[in-house]
């Protein structure tokens, strides 16, 4: 508890007594409902499987005053909040009082279809702004939410009456252990983030432990060095008043010097513990001892546990005072985990639950009548009318709904680019974007790109030269002005359309998540595109997971990929990413082979991202140049390419071997085909543009068949053109299992080729030979598949 900084709050703006009385009632009600919701789920709702339900009574109790002050007095409808995951019960209770959550959902907290364990934008129905659950991510996305808010405002994409809001993160103190927090803070500092509040529930406890002493000093310094205002809320009103009594400061000093674990333990033990320690440690100070002796057990306990973060009046005053500007602000609010509950301060309280007797005692203390557990007013001091009136004036739900939408961005029937006889998909992606950049179209204006320091090496350079880098302030390109020759013109301005991020893949996905919600958050549709090296998707995977979990819509362009990046390899070769493409919900993956496929896929993606039934899209590209095929693209071919797989080569007779491949392996497939044809084998080649889509389609077909609908999936349909006893050889520059499932889907013996070990540097010939994905390996695999 060592901290020499006193709370910064002043009493300049008073809250009316009546408002305060009602707020304390609301606080009481939220405390009760959060604890009861969890108790009901664990002890009253019948259990069918004996599995622990859980919920976090202590984490919830810790942050109630903070959330009540925010939601009932401070937040306005334009503000957006990321609530710490374990405060979901508090959030749901608040929404219940505000009429956005129903009793049924609360009774079914953590049950199927009920209120979610952790606030979920997509699964909850009570107005969650940002989904949280993986600690650190919820807080961090608010920084990017704020940057995107500035972006759409400065680009005039918002309606005339749009008001910028605060992006508020409510964080547990242990969330600050997550590295992504600092990546986000640094990016925010670079981009001059504003309108962002982080409120840290500083209960000095994580899941397992009590945190190190003096941590707040580090937090203080860190935020200050990032340009944030830091406001420490330490003493509640009762403790603040001690400073005015003789001897009171001695008690405050004692608290300042009390180690975190002792303070927590005494909060748990109550008055007896406090008295014993204070009497011993302050025995030489008569005034302090007089104060201690003058307090009843209850008053002593209340006073000593009166930290500002658990005192609605103290937090409110601080929020009101900081609410007059757009400076990013971190509030370090001292709290007690489990405040007001028998679990308070106990080091094991994270997953602790009150037992039946404790709950009964708690109910009695709060005057909630038996049978009135879900009642809005039972046990409160203020009248029903007064509370109703207070709730009806809530500034958060004043005026229109907080749900926005925007009209769709028009996507043309063709994207222009110049193809060459030999080319690679990454380069073509760059060319397509460059051409879009030249247009004065809606699409050209609404695309916003992001890259974590791989802009040029993922071929976004041309686009950025035209569209400039986005920054709130205008910044000249000094190299350009000084006439230093460079292909890049890196001018930054508020009109720019590219976010040049530092090398932090978490930030890329947080930014894409925030931008991909722009239509719903700000009523401004965007087409966010992020570029990344394919292998580094894993680096930000959890942030990607959360971005798509909240149904943010964006295009992820991952390139280069696989061992096909050749000499540049080392540890840059991606192996498992197609499996991520298949396994990750809400993310449709494509891996095109040819330039014309990529054009079709991008065009489709821009529309699919905007389709309510669509999702985000991931395209895996390559820098490997391969000969292109000349063909007229018509609607049928387009459809086939987008279906996930199509016949690139079909044997005269029904085939007895099908080579199934994805991406850049086409030249090896054709080389092997020539050899196999010499043996008079009937071989067909199936190009898989999206194993992910084919797999999903197959699963859907199974579901339909299970309810009696006679349907065939695309992959099953395709294989009708093969012989019954035919075999499959699959090939991909990625883990061999990526395409193996096809054998199971169509009931055919399959030999899978791919890269199952870490990559190596080398030329493609050596590498393909070493990993057995060259033409010889394909021919061998065919022989093997046919042999037994
Ligand atoms: C990324 C991630 N790792 C681990 C967890 C498991 N976990 C849940 S809560 C928690 C500790 C949280 O402590 P703190 O943030 O201080 O919250 P509070 O004390 O307010 O409960 C941990 C480790 C998680 N939710 N997310
Ligand atoms: Mg904590």
């Amino acid at each position: 508890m060592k901290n020499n900084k006193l709370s910064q709050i002043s009493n300049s703006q008073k809250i009316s007594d009546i408002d305060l009385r009602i707020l304390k009632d609301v606080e009481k009600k939220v405390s009760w409902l959060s604890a009861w919701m969890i108790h009901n789920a664990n002890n009253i709702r019948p259990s069918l499987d004996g599995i622990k339900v859980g919920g976090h009574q202590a984490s919830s109790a810790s942050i109630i005053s903070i959330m009540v002050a925010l939601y009932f007095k401070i937040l306005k409808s334009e503000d957006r909040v990321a609530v710490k995951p374990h405060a979901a019960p508090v959030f749901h209770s608040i929404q219940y009082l505000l009429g956005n959550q129903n009793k049924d959902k609360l009774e079914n907290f953590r049950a199927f279809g009920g209120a979610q364990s952790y606030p979920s934008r997509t699964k909850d129905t009570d107005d969650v702004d940002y989904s949280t659950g993986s600690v650190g991510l919820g807080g961090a996305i608010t920084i990017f939410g704020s940057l995107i808010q500035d972006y759409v405002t400065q680009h005039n994409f918002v309606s005339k009456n749009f008001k910028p809001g605060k992006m508020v993160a409510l964080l547990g103190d242990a969330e600050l252990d997550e590295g992504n927090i600092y990546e986000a803070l640094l990016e925010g500092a670079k981009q001059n983030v504003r309108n962002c509040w982080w409120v840290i529930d500083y209960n000095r406890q994580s899941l397992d432990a009590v945190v190190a002493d003096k941590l707040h000093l580090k937090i203080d310094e860190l935020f200050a060095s990032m340009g944030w205002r830091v406001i420490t809320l330490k003493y509640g009103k009762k403790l603040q008043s001690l400073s005015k009594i003789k001897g009171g400061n001695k008690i405050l000093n004692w608290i300042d010097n009390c180690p975190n674990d002792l303070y927590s333990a005494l909060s748990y033990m109550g008055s007896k513990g406090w008295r014993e320690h204070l009497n011993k440690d302050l025995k030489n100070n008569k005034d302090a001892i007089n104060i201690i002796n003058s307090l009843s057990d209850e008053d002593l306990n209340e006073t000593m546990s009166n930290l500002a973060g658990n005192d609605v009046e103290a937090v409110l005053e601080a929020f009101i005072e900081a609410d007059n500007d757009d400076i990013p602000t971190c509030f370090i609010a001292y709290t007690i985990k489990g405040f007001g509950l028998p679990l308070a301060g106990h080091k094991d309280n994270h997953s602790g639950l009150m037992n039946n007797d404790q709950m009964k005692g708690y109910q009695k203390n709060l005057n909630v009548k038996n049978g009135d557990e879900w009642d809005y007013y039972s046990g409160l001091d203020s009248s029903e009318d007064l509370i109703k009136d207070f709730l009806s004036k809530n500034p958060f739900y004043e005026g229109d709904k907080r749900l926005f939408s925007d009209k769709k961005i028009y996507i043309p029937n063709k994207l222009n680019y110049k193809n060459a006889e030999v080319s690679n998909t990454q380069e073509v992606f760059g060319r397509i974007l460059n051409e879009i950049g030249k247009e004065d179209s809606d699409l050209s204006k609404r695309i916003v790109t992001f890259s974590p320091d791989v802009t040029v090496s993922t071929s976004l350079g041309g686009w950025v030269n035209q569209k400039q880098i986005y920054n709130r302030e205008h910044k000249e390109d000094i190299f350009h002005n000084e006439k230093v020759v460079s292909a890049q013109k890196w001018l930054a301005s508020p009109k720019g359309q590219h976010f040049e991020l530092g090398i932090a893949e978490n930030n890329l996905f947080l930014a894409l998540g925030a931008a991909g919600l722009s239509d719903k958050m700000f009523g401004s549709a965007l087409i966010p595109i992020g570029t990344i090296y394919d292998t580094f998707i894993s680096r930000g995977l959890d942030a990607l997971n959360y971005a798509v979990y909240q149904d943010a819509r964006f295009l992820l362009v991952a390139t280069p990929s696989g061992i096909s990046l050749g000499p540049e390899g080392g540890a840059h070769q991606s192996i498992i990413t197609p499996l991520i493409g298949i396994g990750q919900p809400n993310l449709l993956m494509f891996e095109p082979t040819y330039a014309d496929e990529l054009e079709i896929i991008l065009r489709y993606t821009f529309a699919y991202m905007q389709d309510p039934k669509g999702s985000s899209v991931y395209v895996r590209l390559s820098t490997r140049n391969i000969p292109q095929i000349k063909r007229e693209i018509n609607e049928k071919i387009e459809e086939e390419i987008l279906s996930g797989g199509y016949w690139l080569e079909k044997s005269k007779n029904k085939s007895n071997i099908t080579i199934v491949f994805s991406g850049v392996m086409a030249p090896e497939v054709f080389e092997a085909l020539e050899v196999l044809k010499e043996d008079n084998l009937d071989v067909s080649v199936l190009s898989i543009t999206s194993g992910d889509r084919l797999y999903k389609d197959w699963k859907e077909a199974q579901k339909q068949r299970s309810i009696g609908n006679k349907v065939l999936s695309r992959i099953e349909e395709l294989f009708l053109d093969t012989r019954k006893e035919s075999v499959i050889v699959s090939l991909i520059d990625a883990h061999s299992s990526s395409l193996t499932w096809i054998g199971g889907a169509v009931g055919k013996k399959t030999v899978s080729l791919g890269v199952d070990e870490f990559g190596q540097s080398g030329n493609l010939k050596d590498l393909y030979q070493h990993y057995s994905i060259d033409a010889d390996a394909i021919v061998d695999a065919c022989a093997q598949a046919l042999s037994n």
Side-chain angles (χ1 to χ4, degrees):
M1 284 293 285
K2 287 187 186 174
N3 180 18
N4 299 324
K5 244 191 183 176
L6 281 181
S7 154
Q8 314 271 309
I9 52 174
S10 87
N11 288 333
S12 58
Q13 279 167 304
K14 278 273 174 205
I15 311 130
S16 81
D17 286 346
I18 180 141
D19 269 8
L20 196 59
R21 254 196 356 250
I22 299 174
L23 269 180
K24 285 190 173 165
D25 264 337
V26 170
E27 187 186 23
K28 202 165 141 188
K29 187 50 67 181
V30 173
S31 305
W32 165 253
L33 286 170
S34 327
W36 172 250
M37 185 188 313
I38 299 167
H39 185 78
N40 176 70
N42 283 277
N43 298 287
I44 295 173
R45 198 171 65 213
S47 165
L48 296 181
D49 51 17
I51 289 182
K52 175 192 143 195
V53 178
H56 300 87
Q57 286 175 329
S59 296
S60 293
S62 186
I63 202 168
I64 284 167
S65 311
I66 292 169
M67 287 180 67
V68 165
L70 281 171
Y71 277 94
F72 293 94
K73 222 49 201 164
I74 298 293
L75 295 179
K76 298 178 194 71
S77 66
E78 59 269 24
D79 299 331
R80 301 285 171 175
V81 194
V83 175
K84 83 169 180 176
H86 307 86
V90 185
F91 177 79
H92 296 314
S93 303
I94 287 174
Q95 295 299 337
Y96 179 61
L97 293 184
L98 290 171
N100 291 320
Q101 178 63 288
N102 63 44
K103 187 172 138 227
D104 190 47
K105 294 263 181 199
L106 298 192
E107 281 177 323
N108 282 303
F109 173 61
R110 293 193 162 212
F112 188 71
Q116 295 296 298
S117 326
Y118 308 114
S120 168
R121 223 193 123 77
T122 45
K123 288 184 278 173
D124 274 317
T125 48
D126 52 353
D127 201 18
V128 172
D129 289 323
Y130 291 114
S131 301
T132 58
S134 178
V135 298
L137 293 180
I141 199 170
T142 56
I143 288 182
F144 295 94
S146 179
L147 297 180
I148 298 300
Q149 177 173 257
D150 280 342
Y151 181 90
V152 293
T153 312
Q154 290 193 300
H155 282 78
N156 293 325
F157 292 158
V158 289
S159 69
K160 276 199 196 91
N161 34 16
F162 177 83
K163 277 197 246 156
K166 276 190 299 296
M167 301 291 144
V168 180
L170 305 175
L171 295 130
D173 46 356
E175 295 197 56
L176 300 184
D177 287 335
E178 286 286 1
N180 83 275
I181 288 279
Y182 304 98
E183 297 174 5
L185 281 171
L186 200 58
E187 196 58 52
K190 286 189 222 164
Q191 312 263 358
N192 289 327
V193 70
R194 57 178 174 171
N195 288 317
C196 200
W197 277 13
W198 281 18
V199 187
I200 298 168
D201 177 356
Y202 193 54
N203 57 29
R204 295 153 312 238
Q205 281 186 251
S206 57
L207 192 159
D208 283 339
V210 176
V211 306
D213 289 322
K214 290 192 188 166
L215 195 65
H216 62 93
L217 294 178
K218 300 274 171 239
I219 300 173
D220 237 55
E221 283 167 21
L222 268 159
F223 277 87
S225 75
M226 301 282 183
W228 287 53
R229 169 173 55 196
V230 180
I231 298 179
T232 304
L233 309 178
K234 186 160 191 186
Y235 301 126
K237 288 285 156 184
K238 284 197 169 110
L239 281 175
Q240 285 175 32
S241 64
L242 276 189
S243 67
K244 293 173 204 128
I245 317 173
K246 224 171 154 199
N249 277 326
K250 287 281 169 208
I251 299 177
L252 296 181
N253 284 346
W254 182 91
I255 294 179
D256 286 348
N257 292 319
C258 184
N260 288 340
D261 42 10
L262 179 61
Y263 187 88
S264 288
L266 293 177
S267 306
Y268 175 72
M269 289 156 67
S271 59
K272 197 162 164 269
W274 291 121
R275 213 177 277 288
E276 223 171 85
H277 277 265
L278 289 168
N279 280 335
K280 185 163 73 97
D281 297 345
L282 299 177
K283 62 175 185 282
N284 294 331
N285 190 296
K286 241 174 73 189
D287 295 327
I289 295 290
N290 281 343
I291 298 175
I292 295 157
N293 288 342
S294 72
L295 295 172
S296 68
D297 280 356
E298 199 185 336
D299 284 345
L300 180 67
N301 194 32
E302 272 188 14
T303 307
M304 292 306 290
S305 329
N306 177 234
L307 299 181
N310 297 129
D311 185 327
V312 73
E313 189 180 356
V315 271
L316 197 51
E317 279 183 358
F319 289 154
I320 289 172
E321 196 156 300
D323 206 12
N324 301 315
D325 53 45
D326 62 6
I327 301 172
T329 303
C330 169
F331 299 88
I332 304 178
Y334 277 76
T335 55
I336 293 172
K337 191 154 171 170
F339 179 76
L341 312 181
L343 312 168
H346 195 289
K347 73 182 179 65
D348 306 331
N349 64 10
H350 186 79
S351 45
L353 295 171
M354 285 191 270
N355 62 30
N356 278 324
D357 287 345
Q358 288 172 323
M359 200 64 201
K360 272 188 195 136
Y362 188 56
Q363 181 165 10
K364 208 169 151 216
N365 280 350
L366 297 182
N367 286 327
V368 177
K369 288 201 197 101
N370 282 338
D372 278 354
E373 286 84 0
W374 297 110
D375 188 84
Y376 290 97
Y377 313 104
S378 180
L380 303 188
D381 296 334
S382 312
S383 73
E384 207 174 303
D385 285 348
L386 218 53
I387 291 180
K388 266 190 195 155
D389 184 54
F390 177 82
L391 294 178
S392 72
K393 290 182 188 141
N394 185 305
F396 197 42
Y397 285 106
E398 208 177 40
D400 287 343
K401 276 262 170 220
R402 302 173 70 251
L403 266 184
F404 291 89
S405 61
D406 197 4
K407 61 179 191 312
K408 282 191 182 169
I409 298 158
Y410 173 76
I411 310 301
N413 294 330
K414 190 90 195 138
L415 301 175
N416 295 320
Y417 70 101
K418 220 164 110 208
N419 201 4
E421 278 183 20
V422 172
S423 67
N424 65 70
T425 46
Q426 174 179 315
E427 192 184 317
V428 172
F429 161 71
R431 277 195 235 141
I432 291 177
L433 231 64
N434 200 26
E435 290 303 315
I436 295 175
K438 291 178 191 163
E439 294 166 7
D440 180 29
S441 64
D442 217 15
L443 175 65
S444 180
K445 287 182 193 138
R446 295 285 178 143
I447 285 179
V448 51
T449 53
F450 302 80
S451 191
D453 206 25
V454 291
T455 300
V456 179
S457 47
T458 53
S459 300
L460 266 184
W463 162 263
V464 176
N465 279 349
Q466 292 188 69
K467 292 291 190 172
Q468 303 179 353
I469 289 165
Y470 169 71
N471 197 293
R472 280 216 338 263
E473 321 281 319
H474 193 90
K475 280 190 189 151
E476 291 294 315
D477 180 347
I478 301 292
F479 282 88
H480 186 70
N481 291 356
E482 295 295 326
K483 303 200 169 43
V484 177
V485 180
S486 163
Q488 315 306 327
K489 280 177 259 155
W490 289 63
L491 193 77
S493 86
K495 292 275 159 267
Q497 281 181 247
H498 173 70
F499 277 83
E500 181 61 19
L501 304 172
I503 333 165
E505 286 70 20
N506 274 307
N507 282 343
L508 172 73
F509 293 125
L510 288 164
L512 289 172
L517 291 173
S518 171
D519 55 338
K520 292 170 193 138
M521 291 265 178
F522 311 120
S524 323
L526 293 175
I527 304 271
I529 303 177
T531 67
I532 189 172
Y533 288 178
D534 193 50
T535 191
F536 297 126
I537 287 180
S538 315
R539 185 75 185 252
L541 196 52
D542 205 23
L544 169 62
N545 181 46
Y546 266 76
V548 293
Y549 172 53
Q550 41 200 328
D551 204 22
R553 299 295 180 85
F554 51 85
L555 164 63
L556 177 65
V557 176
T559 182
S561 60
I563 58 168
S564 298
L565 52 83
E568 229 214 293
H572 277 31
Q573 304 92 341
S574 56
I575 298 169
I576 60 165
T577 45
L579 295 172
I580 293 174
I582 285 196
Q584 178 65 55
N586 278 14
L587 185 69
L588 175 60
M589 183 200 177
F590 287 100
E591 182 162 4
T593 301
Y594 299 112
D596 55 7
E597 291 176 2
L598 178 62
E599 186 273 332
I600 293 163
I601 288 167
L602 287 181
R603 186 155 34 89
Y604 172 79
T605 294
F606 295 148
Y608 188 72
M609 283 162 67
Q610 301 186 69
D611 182 341
K613 291 202 178 109
S615 73
S616 285
V617 175
Y618 154 30
V619 292
R620 187 175 191 250
L621 305 184
S622 173
T623 43
R624 182 187 182 196
N625 272 323
I626 58 169
Q628 302 292 302
I629 41 172
K630 284 209 175 78
R631 55 182 165 183
E632 275 303 310
I633 294 291
N634 55 33
E635 238 175 73
K636 184 166 172 282
I637 297 181
E638 270 195 30
E639 248 173 53
E640 287 181 349
I641 287 169
L642 293 170
S643 75
Y646 71 100
W647 291 114
L648 195 56
E649 179 92 18
K650 234 173 169 183
S651 55
K652 258 200 226 116
N653 307 311
K654 279 192 169 187
S655 59
N656 54 356
I657 302 175
T658 305
I659 301 177
V660 172
F661 85 101
S662 252
V664 290
M665 301 314 298
E668 284 61 39
V669 171
F670 284 120
E671 200 186 323
L673 196 60
E674 290 309 308
V675 178
L676 294 163
K677 275 181 183 165
E678 281 168 19
D679 283 346
N680 287 330
L681 288 164
D682 289 317
V683 188
S684 294
V685 177
L686 186 62
S687 167
I688 305 293
T689 48
S690 174
D692 181 27
R693 174 158 267 185
L694 288 175
Y695 185 81
K696 285 188 177 111
D697 180 58
W698 175 51
K699 288 290 287 184
E700 178 57 29
Q702 286 170 304
K703 202 164 135 193
Q704 290 299 322
R705 293 197 284 255
S706 75
I707 53 170
N709 294 329
K710 289 202 170 109
V711 289
L712 273 190
S713 65
R714 168 75 177 155
I715 193 74
E716 289 163 317
E717 234 169 49
L718 284 163
F719 273 86
L720 292 178
D721 291 352
T722 64
R723 273 186 232 163
K724 195 164 180 284
E725 68 287 2
S726 66
V727 295
I728 296 175
V729 168
S730 75
L731 175 71
I732 186 167
D733 181 357
H735 199 271
S736 58
S737 65
S738 311
L739 298 175
T740 310
W741 65 270
I742 294 173
V746 297
K748 297 200 185 297
K749 183 176 173 193
T750 302
V751 175
S752 292
L753 305 178
V755 180
D756 299 351
E757 290 153 30
F758 289 116
Q760 308 252 10
S761 299
N763 62 50
L764 295 190
K765 189 168 177 296
D766 287 347
L767 292 176
Y768 288 179
Q769 189 182 30
H770 178 79
Y771 291 98
S772 300
I773 55 170
D774 62 359
D776 286 351
I778 299 170
V779 174
D780 283 353
C782 290
Q784 201 192 117
L786 289 173
S787 69
N788 42 41

